[in-house]
Amino acid sequence: MTQPVIKVAIAGYGNLGRGAQAAINQSPDMQLVGVFSRRDPASVTLIDNSVPVYSMDDIAQYKDEIDVLILCGGSKSDLPEQGPKLAGLFNIVDSFDTHAKIPEYYESLDTPAKQAGKVALLSVGWDPGLFSINRLYGEAILPVGETYTFWGKGLSQGHSDAVRRVDGVKSGVQYTLPSESAMERVRSGEQPTLSTREKHTRECYVVLEDGADEETVRNAIVTMPDYFADYDTTVHFIDQQTFDRDHQKMPHGGFVIRSGVSGTENEKNNQTIEFSLKLGSNPEFTSSVLVAYARAVYKMNLAGETGAKTVFDVAPGLLSSKSPAQLRKELL
Amino acid sequence: MTQPVIKVAIAGYGNLGRGAQAAINQSPDMQLVGVFSRRDPASVTLIDNSVPVYSMDDIAQYKDEIDVLILCGGSKSDLPEQGPKLAGLFNIVDSFDTHAKIPEYYESLDTPAKQAGKVALLSVGWDPGLFSINRLYGEAILPVGETYTFWGKGLSQGHSDAVRRVDGVKSGVQYTLPSESAMERVRSGEQPTLSTREKHTRECYVVLEDGADEETVRNAIVTMPDYFADYDTTVHFIDQQTFDRDHQKMPHGGFVIRSGVSGTENEKNNQTIEFSLKLGSNPEFTSSVLVAYARAVYKMNLAGETGAKTVFDVAPGLLSSKSPAQLRKELL
């Protein structure tokens, strides 16, 4: 391939930023040119020292040296503040994942990106992201049917925090699991009505403080309103060593299932489309999606597109480093 | 919704054409305006008589009355002949599925479509089609990894014909099944090297002629070179009534699995993306995909695009009857 190398930078260097650097290292058509951080650059340790770390305060100086900037900040406060500013300077891609605020955030990026002649691709990752695309494909292809999203097996940060707040808990994590029985009902074509809590179960792994009582802690967890009371919750007690060995990763995943019906009133046929992810590392996977879409952002802007975009606006071929002719020959 | 209704016609009325009519009936933003057939129009019976049947010879007369023409002919002889001609008259979408000839067929549509200012979308369905898109997403997002395509459980026309040619077979069908053990190896992250025959098993249902011998027939099938000899093949003998009741449908499906690795040399994580279909009717599902993409063809041409296109060129949002703002709010 003699295509140009895409110059990419990362803004924000937590789990997502580290994952983005690792994913760029797997992409020969991309070059990481720098990492921007709000911390003192000297204090930021990269997964490898191939690029400089700059202060976020100086980012505007690098306006002409970066083809796409990958925003790796959080959705709660980082992105709403940084996104609109950076969209006026760079082509950007982010993983904004507060579903209810997407329309508002979209608008906040669209104007600066259009004025700057840049593309701002928001809410990239797996949900929102690949799951959203599969929800869309499912209902567009099988308009008569139901779509089901299940999450897990995955570490839930909010619920893990809730477990750790319980008296007597030294260390704790919580995994959300899709309910196997609910998934089988969906796959059968039955099209059941299921609440979020009917679709999921919860599993906790807890290390007790010295002297704490198992049954008291278990009871405090499984009866906790909002978090656990309405779910089928299992609590496992383990020692610190097991906890440190087996529960330091951030696995996640889930399923999008479209159960539809085709044919005529007299002769109907069930049709099922299923998409699933089993992720060893949730942040690294999200970063991998961000990096593939950074490539698409570059191509879209090169083709003259500007303004805010979502994964729904991105043709699949733009994600690949291969040419359209090569894709038709090798992958179609 | 006050959007315009898309005027669609069907060229060719076999299983795919019937499925397309059923799928259009499920799409309130589309109107079927006619069916074209090479047979005597009076001899063509539609699934409902809501539209006229015309002779294919007269199709050019309807040039200005059709927004998108869905070609429902076969890939072997119908589409290579009809596609290039019709691409010069209409926006078209087809399900050309001879993988090796896609680049050549693409070229044969591109010039007439461009000259006519139309869009010609080829090779739409599930493989090529949705499976292709998932192969692309998989390798673009997880560049370090392997992609596996499994087919089935599905009726194979060619293998069923082979079974029926065996002496002593009165009725017969053959289903291709994905090998469960091969799929488990792939899902584990092992990234095994697997041939097509290691990935699939074959299952035959046979009704014997009077006086035919089970073991002779079974042996003739399982040892048949090219078709069965190299596969794990099971033959079930059933009576005609069971055959007629249980084996008249055309189920199919399959799996596309991307098994990849993210992270760094020192800390790798397995990541698995899986897409699967379980189809009660293979032709009806292919038709449903064709109809959703007919909507995209209409929008792309309206936006000024022309020439040959594949599913890789179609942004997901174009498949939906919902507006971009509605999609962002409801599905992202």
Side-chain angles (χ1 to χ4, degrees):
Chain A
M1 286 182 293
T2 54
Q3 55 190 331
V5 167
I6 307 167
K7 286 172 286 172
V8 181
I10 294 168
Y13 203 75
N15 286 329
L16 268 188
R18 275 193 291 274
Q21 185 174 10
I24 293 163
N25 286 346
Q26 293 183 336
S27 308
D29 64 331
M30 294 192 176
Q31 186 198 349
L32 182 63
V33 296
V35 169
F36 293 87
S37 174
R38 283 172 308 184
R39 288 177 278 162
D40 171 9
S43 74
V44 177
T45 308
L46 305 184
I47 58 169
D48 65 63
N49 294 316
S50 54
V51 294
V53 182
Y54 303 108
S55 166
M56 194 79 97
D57 296 335
D58 300 330
I59 196 165
Q61 296 174 24
Y62 299 91
K63 204 175 140 1
D64 300 322
E65 292 167 43
I66 295 164
D67 292 323
V68 187
L69 181 66
I70 303 176
L71 308 196
C72 295
S75 299
K76 200 165 174 189
S77 50
D78 300 339
L79 296 176
E81 191 215 314
Q82 296 170 355
K85 283 182 204 163
L86 296 170
L89 294 167
F90 300 95
N91 290 312
I92 63 169
V93 54
D94 73 35
S95 63
F96 185 80
D97 66 358
T98 313
H99 291 262
K101 294 193 173 165
I102 286 174
E104 180 187 330
Y105 184 60
Y106 175 94
E107 295 302 333
S108 80
L109 299 183
D110 194 43
T111 308
K114 276 191 179 136
Q115 281 170 354
K118 302 290 184 184
V119 167
L121 181 63
L122 59 138
S123 300
V124 169
W126 59 275
D127 196 356
L130 301 182
F131 272 24
S132 321
I133 290 173
N134 279 278
R135 287 190 283 263
L136 191 161
Y137 278 139
E139 75 166 42
I141 290 165
L142 300 171
V144 178
E146 288 292 334
T147 302
Y148 299 84
T149 303
F150 293 86
W151 290 277
K153 179 182 179 174
L155 185 82
S156 163
Q157 214 58 66
H159 284 76
S160 295
D161 289 344
V163 167
R164 288 190 286 263
R165 283 193 299 265
V166 169
D167 273 350
V169 172
K170 186 175 165 199
S171 306
V173 288
Q174 194 266 185
Y175 300 99
T176 305
L177 282 81
S179 156
E180 280 296 332
S181 62
M183 286 214 292
E184 284 317 309
R185 287 180 64 192
V186 168
R187 287 178 179 140
S188 75
E190 179 195 330
Q191 295 188 20
T193 303
L194 295 168
S195 63
T196 302
R197 70 189 45 149
E198 286 175 298
K199 290 194 293 182
H200 299 95
T201 61
R202 300 194 178 281
E203 200 166 52
C204 306
Y205 289 85
V206 167
V207 182
L208 291 175
E209 302 270 16
D210 284 346
D213 176 61
E214 278 196 9
E215 277 321 298
T216 310
V217 169
R218 186 196 310 276
N219 194 55
I221 293 173
V222 302
T223 61
M224 196 186 299
D226 302 333
Y227 285 89
F228 295 103
D230 299 318
Y231 288 83
D232 179 0
T233 302
T234 317
V235 183
H236 305 278
F237 294 98
I238 57 177
D239 59 33
Q240 189 67 48
Q241 195 188 341
T242 308
F243 186 89
D244 293 342
R245 188 191 62 209
D246 297 344
H247 300 282
Q248 297 308 306
K249 295 243 178 184
M250 283 173 281
H252 219 307
F255 299 78
V256 175
I257 307 178
R258 179 69 176 181
S259 172
V261 171
S262 67
T264 61
E265 204 46 58
N266 296 327
E267 191 168 339
K268 290 183 197 174
N269 286 295
N270 286 339
Q271 311 278 19
T272 310
I273 308 175
E274 181 166 334
F275 179 80
S276 67
L277 296 172
K278 198 176 85 186
L279 308 177
S281 161
N282 182 5
E284 281 179 11
F285 186 77
T286 300
S287 302
S288 296
V289 182
L290 279 168
V291 168
Y293 274 95
R295 183 181 290 120
V297 165
Y298 172 75
K299 293 189 198 173
M300 289 168 87
N301 190 240
L302 216 56
E305 295 197 52
T306 65
K309 306 283 173 190
T310 75
V311 292
F312 296 154
D313 304 311
V314 182
L318 297 173
L319 272 68
S320 177
S321 61
K322 295 180 176 172
S323 73
Q326 199 181 358
L327 289 174
R328 288 193 293 271
K329 190 165 188 285
E330 295 177 10
L331 292 182
L332 199 62
Chain B
M1 284 180 295
T2 54
Q3 55 191 329
V5 168
I6 306 168
K7 287 173 285 173
V8 180
I10 293 168
Y13 203 75
N15 285 329
L16 269 187
R18 275 192 293 275
Q21 186 175 9
I24 294 163
N25 287 346
Q26 293 184 336
S27 308
D29 63 331
M30 293 193 177
Q31 184 197 351
L32 181 63
V33 297
V35 169
F36 293 87
S37 174
R38 281 171 309 183
R39 289 176 277 161
D40 171 10
S43 74
V44 177
T45 308
L46 304 185
I47 57 169
D48 65 60
N49 294 316
S50 55
V51 294
V53 181
Y54 303 108
S55 166
M56 195 77 97
D57 297 335
D58 300 331
I59 197 164
Q61 295 173 27
Y62 299 89
K63 202 175 142 0
D64 300 322
E65 293 167 42
I66 295 164
D67 292 323
V68 188
L69 180 67
I70 302 176
L71 308 195
C72 294
S75 299
K76 198 165 175 191
S77 50
D78 300 340
L79 295 175
E81 191 214 314
Q82 296 171 356
K85 284 183 203 162
L86 296 170
L89 295 166
F90 300 94
N91 290 312
I92 63 170
V93 55
D94 74 35
S95 62
F96 185 80
D97 66 359
T98 312
H99 290 260
K101 294 193 173 166
I102 286 173
E104 180 187 331
Y105 183 61
Y106 175 94
E107 295 301 333
S108 79
L109 299 183
D110 194 45
T111 308
K114 276 190 179 138
Q115 282 170 353
K118 302 289 184 184
V119 167
L121 181 62
L122 58 139
S123 300
V124 169
W126 59 276
D127 197 356
L130 301 182
F131 272 24
S132 321
I133 290 172
N134 279 279
R135 286 189 285 261
L136 191 160
Y137 279 138
E139 74 166 43
I141 291 165
L142 300 171
V144 178
E146 289 292 332
T147 302
Y148 299 85
T149 303
F150 294 86
W151 291 277
K153 178 182 179 174
L155 185 82
S156 161
Q157 214 57 68
H159 284 76
S160 296
D161 290 344
V163 167
R164 287 189 288 263
R165 282 194 299 265
V166 169
D167 274 348
V169 171
K170 188 176 165 198
S171 307
V173 288
Q174 194 266 185
Y175 300 99
T176 304
L177 283 80
S179 157
E180 280 296 333
S181 62
M183 285 214 293
E184 283 317 310
R185 287 181 64 193
V186 168
R187 287 177 179 141
S188 75
E190 180 194 331
Q191 297 189 19
T193 302
L194 295 167
S195 64
T196 301
R197 72 189 42 151
E198 287 175 297
K199 289 194 294 182
H200 299 95
T201 61
R202 301 194 176 280
E203 198 165 54
C204 307
Y205 289 85
V206 167
V207 183
L208 290 175
E209 301 270 16
D210 284 346
D213 176 61
E214 278 196 8
E215 278 320 299
T216 310
V217 168
R218 185 195 311 272
N219 195 53
I221 293 172
V222 303
T223 61
M224 196 187 299
D226 301 332
Y227 286 91
F228 296 103
D230 298 318
Y231 287 84
D232 179 1
T233 303
T234 318
V235 183
H236 304 278
F237 294 99
I238 57 177
D239 61 33
Q240 190 67 47
Q241 196 187 340
T242 309
F243 186 89
D244 292 342
R245 188 192 62 210
D246 297 343
H247 300 282
Q248 298 307 304
K249 295 242 178 184
M250 282 174 283
H252 219 306
F255 299 78
V256 175
I257 307 178
R258 179 70 176 182
S259 172
V261 171
S262 67
T264 60
E265 203 47 56
N266 296 326
E267 191 167 338
K268 291 183 196 174
N269 286 295
N270 286 338
Q271 311 279 19
T272 310
I273 308 176
E274 181 166 333
F275 179 80
S276 67
L277 296 171
K278 199 175 84 185
L279 309 176
S281 162
N282 182 6
E284 281 178 11
F285 187 77
T286 300
S287 303
S288 296
V289 181
L290 279 168
V291 168
Y293 274 95
R295 182 181 291 120
V297 165
Y298 171 76
K299 293 189 200 173
M300 288 168 88
N301 190 239
L302 214 58
E305 296 199 50
T306 65
K309 306 282 176 192
T310 75
V311 292
F312 296 153
D313 305 310
V314 182
L318 297 172
L319 272 67
S320 176
S321 61
K322 295 179 176 172
S323 73
Q326 199 181 358
L327 289 175
R328 287 192 294 271
K329 191 166 187 285
E330 295 178 10
L331 293 182
L332 199 62

